[in-house]
Amino acid sequence: NTHLTSVQHVKLCCLMNFRRKNIKKQQCEAVVGAQCGNAVLRGAHVYVPGIVSASSFMKAGDVISVYSDIKGKCKKGAREFDGTKVFLGNGISARSRKEIFSGLCELKGIGIRMTEPIYLSPSFDNVLPGYLFLQNLPSAVVTHVLHPQPGERVLDLCAAPGGKATHIAALMHDQGEVIALDKIPNKVEKIKQNALLLGLNSIKAFCFDGTKALKHKHDMTDKGIFFKYFYIHCIEGPPFSPESFDRILLDAPCSGMGQRPNMACTWTLKEVMSYQPLQRKLFSVAAQLLKPGGMLVYSTCTITLAENEEQVAWEPRIGEEGMMGAGLSLEQLRQLQRFDPSAVPLQDPDQDALRDATAEDMIRLANKDCIGFFIAKFLKWKSTSEKDPQK
């Protein structure tokens, strides 16, 4: 959160925080991103059997294999588990099994120190709240693509839980207005909580359906109704007048197939295909709310052609390379940004090589080893105010 602090200050605070907890640097690097140690202590879906001996009782210092219980079926404290699980890596237990599952609330700290993790990222959950906001790489990239400027009026059409909205406000130095919409009340409260936590005052969050965020002329035929409508909605919230925003982010509801694999997924084809019509409704509203010369960024965390390139082919043009098959030219495909987890090399990364890698090498690797994501940026070059919004 560069609104409250600098990157160098956060690095220093993180270092001091880890030192206070007596965690050595190599241990910090080894802690699994899934927080295996903490998860074990609070009984989350992590299964840790002992592999040193035939005994089911784990002791401090034992070499341990750590698995994730995919379907959440493993009972807390279970000694044997034959359900669906995924290997997370090997480590050394810092506490005995009895200590981990005793239920004593005063127990804190790492349960398993990961020595051979599959995932190399340390956990920063609940570290320096207010200074750090965890996001996937593409989720941070999309806000930079929007490139909001101080003093502008920006709309985040589907904003919950507020990660991108707060990032927009921070990039604007909290100067201007960031309107954040979501139609689920408790999600709107989450946006407000995150804005408060990050010290951002330019964010105004409203519980409102983004497909209805455009104010139509026929809604204000009676003069009395007009003034009441104007006072309630234009001053306090949506719907909004046409062409009233400098920039709009449409991080649309989607099938979410770019997220890490969910082996327990029960979606039907009909459910997956239901997102495209909704995205087009939101796209049409966003295009009409945007000022001429304004920027609209469309993004999803999915990898389907129908929700990404086909949407760009359906509605205006600009959009690093996308998938062929939607009718876009090679030049247009090069203007799209697609994050594709399938591009990750199958072989295990050389940890020694990673330590010697340049920043550019790490960014290139991170662009592959992330969630699936899609970003397209549009420039509105002509006013739409003369068109019938119903057509």
Side-chain angles (χ1 to χ4, degrees):
N1 179 11
T2 53
H3 173 61
L4 294 183
T5 189
S6 67
V7 173
Q8 291 302 321
H9 180 244
V10 168
K11 287 181 178 179
L12 179 61
C13 288
C14 285
L15 179 61
M16 293 175 64
N17 181 71
F18 286 131
R19 282 178 175 173
R20 280 198 300 268
K21 293 183 178 181
N22 297 317
I23 302 177
K24 296 178 182 179
K25 181 177 183 293
Q26 60 266 30
Q27 290 175 320
C28 295
E29 292 173 346
V31 176
V32 152
Q35 302 177 54
C36 288
N38 291 334
V40 170
L41 291 178
R42 62 175 182 262
H45 302 322
V46 174
Y47 172 60
V48 186
I51 63 170
V52 174
S53 65
S55 171
S56 298
F57 296 95
M58 182 182 74
K59 304 180 296 296
D62 284 352
V63 177
I64 299 297
S65 289
V66 180
Y67 296 81
S68 173
D69 169 22
I70 295 299
K71 297 184 178 180
K73 300 294 185 180
C74 183
K75 303 296 183 182
K76 179 179 178 180
R79 296 178 181 177
E80 298 293 336
F81 178 61
D82 296 325
T84 305
K85 57 184 181 288
V86 171
F87 180 62
L88 296 179
N90 295 321
I92 298 174
S93 62
R95 300 184 184 276
S96 69
R97 183 180 183 85
K98 181 178 179 180
E99 288 178 309
I100 289 177
F101 294 112
S102 64
L104 298 177
C105 59
E106 64 269 17
L107 281 179
K108 295 182 179 180
I110 296 176
I112 309 297
R113 180 170 62 84
M114 299 301 294
T115 55
E116 299 174 310
I118 297 296
Y119 307 104
L120 301 179
S121 299
S123 169
F124 284 91
D125 192 24
N126 294 323
V127 175
L128 302 177
Y131 287 169
L132 295 179
F133 193 101
L134 299 183
Q135 289 197 103
N136 288 301
L137 173 69
S139 297
V141 169
V142 69
T143 313
H144 284 281
V145 172
L146 185 65
H147 196 51
Q149 300 298 307
E152 291 183 332
R153 192 174 192 229
V154 180
L155 174 63
D156 189 345
L157 200 54
C158 305
K164 297 178 183 67
T166 53
H167 194 190
I168 290 170
L171 291 178
M172 294 167 61
H173 308 296
D174 206 27
Q175 299 173 17
E177 187 178 33
V178 179
I179 303 294
L181 301 186
D182 200 274
K183 65 179 183 179
I184 301 177
N186 63 326
K187 290 187 176 182
V188 175
E189 287 305 311
K190 188 66 176 177
I191 298 172
K192 294 178 180 179
Q193 291 170 12
N194 283 326
L196 183 64
L197 175 67
L198 299 175
L200 298 165
N201 300 312
S202 59
I203 297 175
K204 298 178 181 178
F206 299 97
C207 186
F208 203 83
D209 184 348
T211 63
K212 302 175 182 177
L214 177 67
K215 183 194 305 175
H216 300 306
K217 292 181 180 179
H218 60 72
D219 291 331
M220 297 174 283
T221 53
D222 180 81
K223 187 175 182 180
I225 294 177
F226 171 85
F227 283 110
K228 182 179 179 182
Y229 196 94
F230 183 87
Y231 177 78
I232 293 176
H233 293 282
C234 289
I235 294 179
E236 295 187 358
F240 304 105
S241 299
E243 301 186 343
S244 57
F245 289 93
D246 299 290
R247 299 176 196 263
I248 296 177
L249 173 61
L250 174 53
D251 186 51
C254 67
S255 58
M257 289 189 174
Q259 301 288 348
R260 293 302 188 190
N262 182 354
M263 298 181 185
C265 178
T266 58
W267 293 333
T268 65
L269 179 60
K270 183 178 180 181
E271 288 174 309
V272 173
M273 297 300 292
S274 69
Y275 287 97
Q276 189 188 65
L278 172 60
Q279 292 160 353
R280 292 188 176 184
K281 286 181 182 179
L282 291 165
F283 208 129
S284 294
V285 169
Q288 295 173 74
L289 288 172
L290 189 65
K291 294 178 180 179
M295 291 286 184
L296 166 62
V297 171
Y298 171 81
S299 64
T300 70
C301 58
T302 196
I303 55 176
T304 69
L305 189 72
E307 297 173 73
N308 295 325
E309 284 85 357
E310 283 187 11
Q311 301 294 50
V312 177
W314 170 76
E315 192 77 24
R317 306 276 175 253
I318 301 178
E320 238 191 69
E321 294 191 11
M323 291 173 61
M324 298 180 65
L328 297 173
S329 67
L330 293 177
E331 178 61 29
Q332 289 169 336
L333 290 176
R334 282 192 289 267
Q335 291 173 326
L336 302 175
Q337 287 181 267
R338 169 178 280 269
F339 293 81
D340 191 350
S342 66
V344 181
L346 294 179
Q347 65 272 21
D348 293 333
D350 185 341
Q351 296 188 29
D352 292 330
L354 288 177
R355 293 189 183 98
D356 298 332
T358 65
E360 290 76 13
D361 292 335
M362 295 301 293
I363 291 173
R364 193 176 301 110
L365 177 61
N367 283 344
K368 296 179 179 179
D369 188 17
C370 66
I371 66 169
F373 209 88
F374 179 84
I375 304 171
K377 181 176 180 179
F378 300 85
L379 171 65
K380 185 172 182 178
W381 59 276
K382 182 179 180 181
S383 174
T384 55
S385 60
E386 297 179 0
K387 296 181 179 179
D388 183 354
Q390 297 300 307
K391 292 183 180 179

